[in-house]
Amino acid sequence: MSTETLNDAHDSPDGHDAHHDHHIPKGILRWLFTTNHKDIGTLYLWFAFIMFLIGGAMAMVIRAELFQPGLQIVDPHFFNQMTTVHGLIMVFGAVMPAFTGLANWMIPMMIGAPDMALPRMNNWSFYILPFAFIILLSSLFMDGGGPAFGWTFYAPLSTQYSGDSTALFVFSVHIMGISSIMGAINVVVTILNMRAPGMTYMKMPLFVWTWLITAFLLIAVMPVLAGAVTMVLTDKFFGTSFFNAAGGGDPVMFQHIFWFFGHPEVYIMILPAFGIISAIVPTFSRKRLFGYASMVYATASIALLSFIVWAHHMFTTGMPVAAEMFFMFATMLISVPTGVKVFNWVATMWRGSLTFEVPMMFAIAFIVLFTIGGLSGLMLAITPADFQYHDTYFVVAHFHYVLVTGALFSIMAAVYYWLPKWTGKMFDITLGKWHFWCSLISVNVLFFPMHFVGLAGMPRRIPDYALQFADFNKWISIGGFAFGLSQLIFLALIIKACRKIGEPVSDQVWEGAEGLEWEVPSPAPYHTFSTPPLIK
Amino acid sequence: MSEQPGSKSTAEKPNLSLENERTEDAQIPKTRAQLASENAKTVKKLVFVVIGMLGFSFALVPLYDVFCDLTGINGKPSNEAAVYESVVIDESRTIKVEFITRTHSGMAWEFSAQTAEIRLHPGEMGEVEFYVRNPTEHDIIAQAIPSISPGIAALYVNKTECFCFKHQPLKAGEEAIMPMKFYVDPQLPKEFTFFTLQYTLYDISATVQPAVVAMDNG
């Protein structure tokens, strides 16, 4: 894609835009009232990082308890709260807001728009999010504790055997959902209406494409989640019987409704990652992305297929064989478009002039490790095998490979890739490499042995385990603590970068980088593309 | 949602009328007014989708029941009394029907089937009696919920009379015999030689008569 910026903000000779830069409000009010997409992106990213550390602290509690068999550190009820809230925080508080933050920062710059389409709604969609998580986290301090029914809040666990904090859980999920829906609407409207002249759909960077499709998924399924939690609320507190067999309801129906949301949700957490990797790999291979159009179609077909595979989470609920076969084959079908993507990334690297800067290292780790997670997913899709794997640590290993070494590594890759553009200074590369290698090694010590204990039958979400799993669990916990500590390196690096310590970078930052975001100055000025660029 | 994108920056940047400097290109940028009306239209459509999907999530509840009634895949037999029409009795085969009873956790009743299993031809009427006793010191209203395994067989079980069709109140210390009459539809696929009918008893006093329960317990 060759582009040319006309009359870019800082090239303007009359200094009008320089004057404009002086109008950046100062102090806390700037952040409170901001409608600037870059400010809101920064807020989202910091929020996600804080949530990542809080959710990570809960994972440390879980791993400390599981370091050896027996109950030693926390009581089982608190352990259950930790697994539940860890899941909720990481999904809704860390991964999703981090992607939304990246979308806010990058999409307007990538399509040559001056800002998001609905800047004031953008401010709202961020600022209700902290309240959702304050409500959720404060429920941990209530009498009877916070939610302890797993992040999937299956009925009747959540409707008949849960504490009063369920109401707080439901309201916090409502707020998270509203925030996500507003963010998604903003992304769709921005991409549909705000593209610079000449930025046709098939010229959009893949990060924009994957986010457009993700936003449609969000708009389609977050209301279903809202419906599900509302039914849980009325079942628990207002005597309805949606999921209560005694009143004519059906607890299995909860799982159908939940996973009708839940399966598209897992693609919501991975499609933007595909877009990020598709931006980074070509840059450091110094080649165009292989198979751009097939990437777009693969993303769209993954999104469509995600609506017809939900029951593969429910093979053991006693479905008829025909339904199990359908969901098994539909699930396996998804590996075709996903395989297309992995093939295209590898083909992009093939005979490229590769260099291994920190973002590229994370991107390559993503490709390898996400593929491992994808393959264990394929194993789980095989219905008869799933009867053995169901609810074991094999499942935990699977979704942590796709979410930690998948979604999370892609977010880290994205931060390393665009951080110099945001701050104007190169981050501390030594720290970045330490962060990468420590994370890479510890994350595999943490999650790889989970496959083995899972296949050997260790159930998930249980604070104690049989003696034969003790050695593996010791190593898993050591890996967990090391991975947790490694993230403090990342925190140090980010703080250093935010204080603008480092070598100044050029506008292009990376030698092979192409795209509109690399044509604005580094650091990216407060307002970019106030006049649309010309795209050839 | 009444957004006015960049209304503030319009005031600050009067030179941003986008119509200038676009001569060589046919793709003329949109004016702010155009953009605002386009955005409003798109938002409106998306909000409809959101409301529609919220409605859909609740519509899934009746849809689920209809789907299960049609296919019988969740093992729920019909909750309405069937009429026994002179069905041809298929004497060529015999079906074994097993009965399992259980009470939901926290429900203290004794509950058992007087016959553990019966054998009958498809089309033939069968009758089983269930015994219940309320050993507690307060009155309880119960509801029995049937479940058939394998699930598909539920489509072919026709009950003409069942205690599960209505609430079953028992005073403290009382006992009762509850009858159930049914026949198996001769259309039952050949591969079924037996199936299991399970009843679970739930205590529904609190939902049916909250005031009475509150008085009793108070």
Side-chain angles (χ1 to χ4, degrees):
Chain A
M1 192 193 314
S2 103
T3 53
E4 181 193 329
T5 317
L6 282 186
N7 194 15
D8 186 59
H10 272 227
D11 300 340
S12 139
D14 58 6
H16 187 91
D17 290 285
H19 157 80
H20 193 74
D21 270 3
H22 292 169
H23 277 269
I24 303 174
K26 298 274 180 242
I28 185 125
L29 289 184
R30 162 187 172 179
W31 297 101
L32 217 49
F33 297 135
T34 186
T35 54
N36 179 287
H37 71 104
K38 300 185 182 80
D39 281 355
I40 292 171
T42 306
L43 287 170
Y44 264 113
L45 286 167
W46 268 113
F47 178 79
F49 199 14
I50 292 165
M51 284 298 135
F52 172 59
L53 295 176
I54 294 174
M58 292 174 183
M60 297 299 102
V61 174
I62 295 168
R63 283 324 313 174
E65 177 57 51
L66 293 173
F67 188 81
Q68 51 179 322
L71 297 173
Q72 39 268 327
I73 297 173
V74 293
D75 72 273
H77 184 59
F78 188 72
F79 183 90
N80 290 344
Q81 294 171 44
M82 287 293 103
T83 53
T84 304
V85 183
H86 163 77
L88 290 167
I89 295 248
M90 290 307 202
V91 168
F92 296 104
V95 173
M96 288 169 63
F99 280 135
T100 313
L102 292 168
N104 268 296
W105 248 105
M106 302 318 299
I107 287 176
M109 288 213 285
M110 286 177 154
I111 60 174
D115 203 315
M116 296 294 278
L118 311 161
R120 214 143 296 156
M121 189 168 87
N122 209 7
N123 176 291
W124 269 104
S125 59
F126 173 75
Y127 269 108
I128 60 175
L129 209 46
F131 291 99
F133 286 90
I134 290 169
I135 291 171
L136 179 64
L137 287 170
S138 63
S139 73
L140 289 171
F141 301 100
M142 281 178 73
D143 279 349
F149 31 67
W151 84 276
T152 51
F153 61 103
Y154 275 14
L157 267 183
S158 56
T159 53
Q160 287 169 35
Y161 302 96
S162 56
D164 289 342
S165 65
T166 308
L168 294 183
F169 158 81
V170 168
F171 291 135
S172 75
V173 171
H174 273 146
I175 299 172
M176 294 170 204
I178 292 168
S179 165
S180 296
I181 289 170
M182 292 202 296
I185 288 178
N186 214 341
V187 167
V188 172
V189 178
T190 305
I191 297 174
L192 294 187
N193 295 347
M194 305 274 287
R195 281 167 293 121
M199 176 63 77
T200 59
Y201 283 112
M202 290 313 266
K203 276 186 188 167
M204 295 195 307
L206 263 171
F207 181 69
V208 179
W209 255 116
T210 53
W211 239 113
L212 178 64
I213 292 166
T214 303
F216 275 117
L217 285 181
L218 279 165
I219 290 168
V221 300
M222 291 311 279
V224 178
L225 174 69
V229 290
T230 308
M231 290 179 212
V232 165
L233 184 81
T234 58
D235 263 19
K236 180 154 181 66
F237 296 102
F238 302 110
T240 58
S241 294
F242 288 109
F243 311 126
N244 181 2
D250 192 333
V252 176
M253 184 177 73
F254 172 85
Q255 297 185 31
H256 283 289
I257 296 176
F258 177 81
W259 286 115
F260 185 81
F261 145 79
H263 202 78
E265 168 69 16
V266 307
Y267 292 103
I268 286 165
M269 292 190 285
I270 204 65
L271 293 184
F274 292 165
I276 290 164
I277 303 304
S278 305
I280 293 175
V281 169
T283 295
F284 299 103
S285 306
R286 290 162 185 79
K287 276 175 66 189
R288 291 166 64 105
L289 180 71
F290 183 87
Y292 172 88
S294 67
M295 286 295 219
V296 173
Y297 297 130
T299 310
S301 28
I302 290 174
L304 289 176
L305 285 171
S306 76
F307 284 103
I308 55 158
V309 296
W310 76 90
H312 66 210
H313 297 269
M314 307 167 48
F315 282 147
T316 59
T317 54
M319 282 189 289
V321 176
E324 304 214 318
M325 298 271 278
F326 170 78
F327 286 110
M328 173 169 87
F329 288 124
T331 305
M332 289 178 162
L333 199 58
I334 293 188
S335 57
V336 176
T338 315
V340 167
K341 288 184 164 292
V342 175
F343 178 86
N344 285 356
W345 292 321
V346 176
T348 307
M349 286 192 279
W350 177 253
R351 297 201 165 165
S353 311
L354 293 177
T355 49
F356 300 94
E357 283 85 347
V358 180
M360 183 62 165
M361 288 157 78
F362 272 100
I364 293 174
F366 169 95
I367 296 171
V368 175
L369 298 175
F370 173 77
T371 305
I372 292 177
L375 284 174
S376 59
L378 209 47
M379 290 170 71
L380 286 162
I382 302 167
T383 310
D386 182 73
F387 276 70
Q388 183 193 346
Y389 307 155
H390 186 85
D391 255 352
T392 68
Y393 260 84
F394 190 80
V395 180
V396 179
H398 159 69
F399 68 72
H400 281 93
Y401 263 89
V402 291
L403 283 177
V404 177
T405 61
L408 191 62
F409 268 34
S410 83
I411 291 164
M412 289 172 178
V415 168
Y416 282 116
Y417 186 52
W418 287 308
L419 191 58
K421 173 56 68 186
W422 300 338
T423 65
K425 300 283 162 56
M426 183 51 74
F427 53 82
D428 187 329
I429 292 172
T430 318
L431 274 187
K433 287 192 170 162
W434 270 100
H435 174 227
F436 172 75
W437 287 110
C438 289
S439 296
L440 181 74
I441 294 165
S442 60
V443 86
N444 283 292
V445 174
L446 165 57
F447 294 124
F448 206 80
M450 285 186 183
H451 291 113
F452 307 136
V453 289
L455 290 181
M458 179 170 162
R460 60 189 286 212
R461 290 172 170 163
I462 308 244
D464 190 7
Y465 49 84
L467 288 179
Q468 67 265 33
F469 305 128
D471 287 354
F472 273 133
N473 270 286
K474 183 183 72 187
W475 282 108
I476 292 170
S477 285
I478 290 171
F481 300 142
F483 185 70
L485 290 174
S486 308
Q487 305 322 308
L488 300 180
I489 308 175
F490 190 43
L491 179 64
L493 181 143
I494 299 283
I495 290 174
K496 227 176 142 182
C498 287
R499 294 170 70 197
K500 312 252 172 156
I501 301 169
E503 293 289 305
V505 290
S506 69
D507 290 357
Q508 201 191 8
V509 182
W510 312 103
E511 191 192 58
E514 276 182 34
L516 285 179
E517 80 263 38
W518 307 109
E519 297 186 8
V520 301
S522 299
Y526 202 56
H527 297 286
T528 39
F529 298 124
S530 301
T531 307
L534 184 67
I535 291 128
K536 282 180 191 157
Chain B
M1 307 264 160
S2 63
E3 273 298 335
Q4 291 157 354
S7 56
K8 194 171 123 206
S9 51
T10 319
E12 285 172 12
K13 287 192 269 184
N15 73 332
L16 277 189
S17 53
L18 302 173
E19 291 87 284
N20 55 0
E21 303 181 281
R22 286 283 179 279
T23 45
E24 78 286 5
D25 210 315
Q27 296 144 327
I28 297 162
K30 303 155 184 168
T31 64
R32 291 198 177 280
Q34 273 177 334
L35 195 58
S37 85
E38 270 184 36
N39 286 354
K41 261 186 228 159
T42 318
V43 169
K44 219 175 272 174
K45 281 182 208 156
L46 294 173
V47 169
F48 273 122
V49 178
V50 170
I51 295 168
M53 287 308 289
L54 189 66
F56 176 70
S57 73
F58 284 93
L60 279 173
V61 177
L63 282 175
Y64 179 83
D65 283 342
V66 168
F67 186 76
C68 289
D69 281 351
L70 290 178
T71 56
I73 53 178
N74 66 348
K76 261 191 204 170
S78 166
N79 219 12
E80 273 158 33
V83 181
Y84 184 69
E85 297 146 354
S86 50
V87 181
V88 184
I89 297 178
D90 177 3
E91 290 186 343
S92 65
R93 54 189 180 137
T94 308
I95 309 293
K96 184 172 82 173
V97 186
E98 301 172 332
F99 300 96
I100 300 179
T101 54
R102 61 183 282 264
T103 51
H104 192 237
S105 60
M107 170 67 162
W109 284 19
E110 287 163 27
F111 178 37
S112 60
Q114 303 283 59
T115 340
E117 61 172 62
I118 60 172
R119 284 159 200 276
L120 45 79
H121 303 300
E124 186 186 348
M125 280 303 291
E127 183 171 353
V128 190
E129 289 179 331
F130 290 78
Y131 167 79
V132 276
R133 193 171 85 87
N134 178 0
T136 67
E137 283 164 8
H138 43 263
D139 305 350
I140 288 178
I141 303 169
Q143 171 71 53
I145 301 288
S147 173
I148 290 174
S149 181
I152 304 287
L155 284 179
Y156 304 95
V157 175
N158 300 309
K159 298 182 194 170
T160 56
E161 185 184 337
C162 181
F163 56 91
C164 61
F165 293 158
K166 45 186 191 282
H167 300 154
Q168 298 294 333
L170 274 191
K171 295 210 182 318
E174 263 188 3
E175 58 181 13
I177 298 289
M178 308 189 297
M180 193 275 283
K181 289 182 186 164
F182 75 104
Y183 68 96
V184 179
D185 194 315
Q187 306 287 322
L188 182 76
K190 297 280 181 219
E191 65 263 27
F192 290 105
T193 56
F194 77 98
F195 59 85
T196 305
L197 177 47
Q198 177 192 275
Y199 283 102
T200 308
L201 269 192
Y202 292 87
D203 178 353
I204 55 159
S205 323
T207 46
V208 178
Q209 283 180 319
V212 178
V213 175
M215 271 198 303
D216 281 4
N217 296 344

